[in-house]
Amino acid sequence: ALVEGLFSAQDSVESVLSMYIGISPYQKMELLEGLCQRLGFEGLAVFGDCFDEVTYLDPVKFPNAIKVFAKEVCRNDFLAFGRLHFFFPDSRIALDLNTDKVLKEARFDRHFVRDLTWSRQQLATLAERRFKTAQDMARKVRGGDDVKYLSFAEVFEKVKKEDFSAALSRIQTPRELMIMMTEMFSRMEANSDQGFIVEAPDLQVAVQKAQEQAL
């Protein structure tokens, strides 16, 4: 009954597809933006992230899937819509987006593209903030303010500076950093009753796992 109220018996599948669903990616975005504007919004912006966390784009199970997806998304007829912001988990070179064929279809000369990089200082600052937030949350759960705050650096006070610097230099992205921290603190919590102290080998294992899982 709902469909009958929207379309007449004379409407073909092709006309419905063209007028209300769209055929090309650009047309689909135009129709979606029109719908948003009719609902009172100024326009439409699309943000894409965490692509490698989608089951069928998992780089471990399907090594080339993310590359195929990136090539399909990075096409001029789609990017020309504007207000599209995609954050891929690797560089353009690693995703095979610098080939002549892709560059011709994507027209990166028209669309802003940047490979994001993080300095060691930026990652260290992020780690410090995340660690403090985790401690704040733990305090709220347990109650009380008698627990002393630890800085991120204090966790590794038993690790030599050169070992700590070498390990952290292998961490390149916030995702790798979060995986490393999760692994490290899981080991600390699992052995808290034994007075577990982080040493260089523990840090190296955490960094190795971060690099493996972040692929």
Side-chain angles (χ1 to χ4, degrees):
L2 177 61
V3 174
E4 290 176 357
L6 293 174
F7 311 111
S8 68
Q10 288 73 37
D11 288 328
S12 65
V13 172
E14 290 76 13
S15 63
V16 171
L17 179 64
S18 176
M19 294 171 59
Y20 302 104
I21 300 177
I23 298 175
S24 69
Y26 184 90
Q27 188 182 18
K28 292 176 188 292
M29 297 301 294
E30 273 194 322
L31 290 170
L32 184 56
E33 181 176 51
L35 174 61
C36 290
Q37 291 173 339
R38 288 181 177 233
L39 292 173
F41 296 97
E42 181 179 339
L44 173 69
V46 177
F47 292 83
D49 196 5
C50 302
F51 295 119
D52 53 330
E53 295 179 15
V54 177
T55 300
Y56 292 111
L57 296 179
D58 186 332
V60 176
K61 296 180 180 178
F62 309 102
N64 293 318
I66 191 72
K67 294 182 180 181
V68 174
F69 174 74
K71 291 175 184 177
E72 287 299 313
V73 169
C74 294
R75 298 174 61 91
N76 183 56
D77 59 348
F78 184 48
L79 296 176
F81 175 78
R83 297 183 298 283
L84 302 176
H85 309 275
F86 300 124
F87 300 90
F88 286 99
D90 219 326
S91 67
R92 277 182 290 170
I93 293 177
L95 291 170
D96 292 340
L97 295 179
N98 267 9
T99 65
D100 291 340
K101 183 176 186 296
V102 173
L103 291 174
K104 182 179 180 180
E105 294 181 347
R107 293 302 306 270
F108 288 140
D109 58 316
R110 294 182 178 180
H111 310 292
F112 179 73
V113 180
R114 181 174 64 185
D115 287 331
L116 298 178
T117 58
W118 290 267
S119 67
R120 178 180 165 182
Q121 181 59 44
Q122 287 175 316
L123 292 174
T125 300
L126 175 60
E128 193 70 59
R129 291 176 178 174
R130 285 294 181 97
F131 189 38
K132 184 178 183 302
T133 299
Q135 292 179 86
D136 286 337
M137 294 176 65
R139 280 190 173 191
K140 290 180 180 179
V141 172
R142 297 172 186 169
D145 298 322
D146 56 338
V147 181
K148 178 183 177 295
Y149 274 110
L150 283 176
S151 69
F152 181 66
E154 286 176 322
V155 175
F156 307 99
E157 61 183 357
K158 298 299 182 182
V159 179
K160 293 181 180 179
K161 288 185 178 180
E162 55 267 31
D163 292 334
F164 180 75
S165 179
L168 212 60
S169 66
R170 294 166 58 194
I171 298 297
Q172 303 294 323
T173 67
R175 183 179 183 188
E176 290 180 350
L177 177 67
M178 293 302 107
I179 295 174
M180 184 205 80
M181 292 177 68
T182 299
E183 173 64 24
M184 197 76 268
F185 297 137
S186 294
R187 293 165 67 87
M188 291 172 63
E189 291 178 358
N191 299 278
S192 59
D193 58 336
Q194 303 174 18
F196 181 76
I197 299 175
V198 178
E199 297 183 354
D202 303 304
L203 180 57
Q204 291 171 3
V205 170
V207 170
Q208 184 64 35
K209 288 196 173 183
Q211 292 182 316
E212 291 172 355
Q213 295 180 36
L215 291 176

